[in-house]
Amino acid sequence: MGRLIINVGTTVNGAFEAPAPEPHGGWLVTDPDSMQAGLEMWQAADAMVLGRKTYEGLSAAWPQLANVPGFEAYAARMNGMPKYVASRSLTAPLDWNATLLEGDLAENVRRLKEDHHGNLIVPCAGELTRDLIALDLVDEFWFNVSPYLWGTGPRIFDELGPIRLQLTSTTTFPSGVVRLCYRPAPAAE
């Protein structure tokens, strides 16, 4: 059975939207080790699960990166892997090796988890992520925390109530980026 994993890049204080890379005025910090870890995560994944906005943004960007030095392997994986898109406004067929999830979100995601044996990665933290959490479909949360406090933009999961998590692993990279992996904690008895 596949595992549904929310994968989010964030600042220490939870800003997540439009993270331009650090030298370009943003907060996203990268280094060769964290980039390699990200590539390995995508190479090990079975598929992506996306909302409409994330699909539209990524499908416009990644094909353009296929021949950019240093991004070839990353782009090959991102462009080639299967994607499942939850949307109420898009119509099939979709481009970029994507399949539209039509109908009930919970049923679709449960079926995907049954059909896949590896990781189903949900990048970003928008409306789809909040819906998946509310439907209790998330198996793990992976946060790649950049060493910044960022004063603008929305924060991750502001609209959700408390959810107790259990730490499963941490990785610290030379740049100060920390990957924190959690799973939902078992219900208290």
Side-chain angles (χ1 to χ4, degrees), residues 4 8 12 39 52 55 63 114 123 128 140 182:
L4 188 74
V8 180
V12 171
L39 176 59
R52 178 190 55 82
Y55 165 75
E114 289 173 8
L128 174 62
E140 295 185 25
Y182 294 93

Side-chain angles (χ1 to χ4, degrees), residues 26-181:
W27 56 260
L28 182 66
V29 176
T30 60
D31 60 48
D33 293 333
S34 64
M35 291 293 288
Q36 182 62 35
L39 176 59
E40 291 169 4
M41 175 198 70
W42 287 112
Q43 289 173 330
D46 274 12
M48 277 190 234
V49 179
L50 307 164
R52 178 190 55 82
K53 290 178 186 175
T54 303
Y55 165 75
E56 290 175 342
L58 294 180
S59 67
W62 278 107
Q64 307 305 315
L65 296 171
N67 297 316
V68 174
F71 284 93
E72 299 93 344
Y74 224 115
R77 182 60 183 146
M78 298 298 279
N79 292 326
M81 74 186 314
K83 295 132 191 116
Y84 300 97
V85 181
S87 172
R88 292 180 286 275
S89 60
L90 293 175
T91 56
L94 300 178
D95 294 326
W96 200 47
N97 199 24
T99 301
L100 183 63
L101 296 177
E102 300 179 274
D104 184 76
L105 177 63
E107 288 177 22
N108 278 304
V109 172
R110 285 187 191 103
R111 181 182 43 79
L112 288 175
K113 289 170 77 170
E114 289 173 8
D115 292 347
H116 289 271
H117 297 289
N119 295 337
L120 300 166
I121 306 292
V122 182
C124 301
E127 182 180 341
L128 174 62
T129 299
R130 289 188 294 276
D131 290 345
L132 293 168
I133 293 168
L135 292 166
D136 196 28
L137 294 169
V138 178
D139 297 296
E140 295 185 25
F141 297 85
W142 295 356
F143 298 98
N144 296 294
V145 182
S146 285
Y148 268 96
L149 296 174
W150 202 258
T152 61
R155 303 289 180 247
I156 295 178
F157 314 130
D158 274 350
E159 300 168 13
L160 294 174
I163 299 170
R164 179 77 168 108
L165 301 175
Q166 184 174 43
L167 183 66
T168 60
S169 69
T170 62
T171 306
T172 303
F173 297 101
S175 61
V177 171
V178 179
R179 174 179 280 175
L180 302 168
C181 298

Side-chain angles (χ1 to χ4, degrees), residues 7-30:
N7 182 64
V8 180
T10 180
T11 63
V12 171
N13 63 328
F16 72 93
E17 192 170 86
E22 186 177 35
H24 303 288
W27 56 260
L28 182 66
V29 176
T30 60

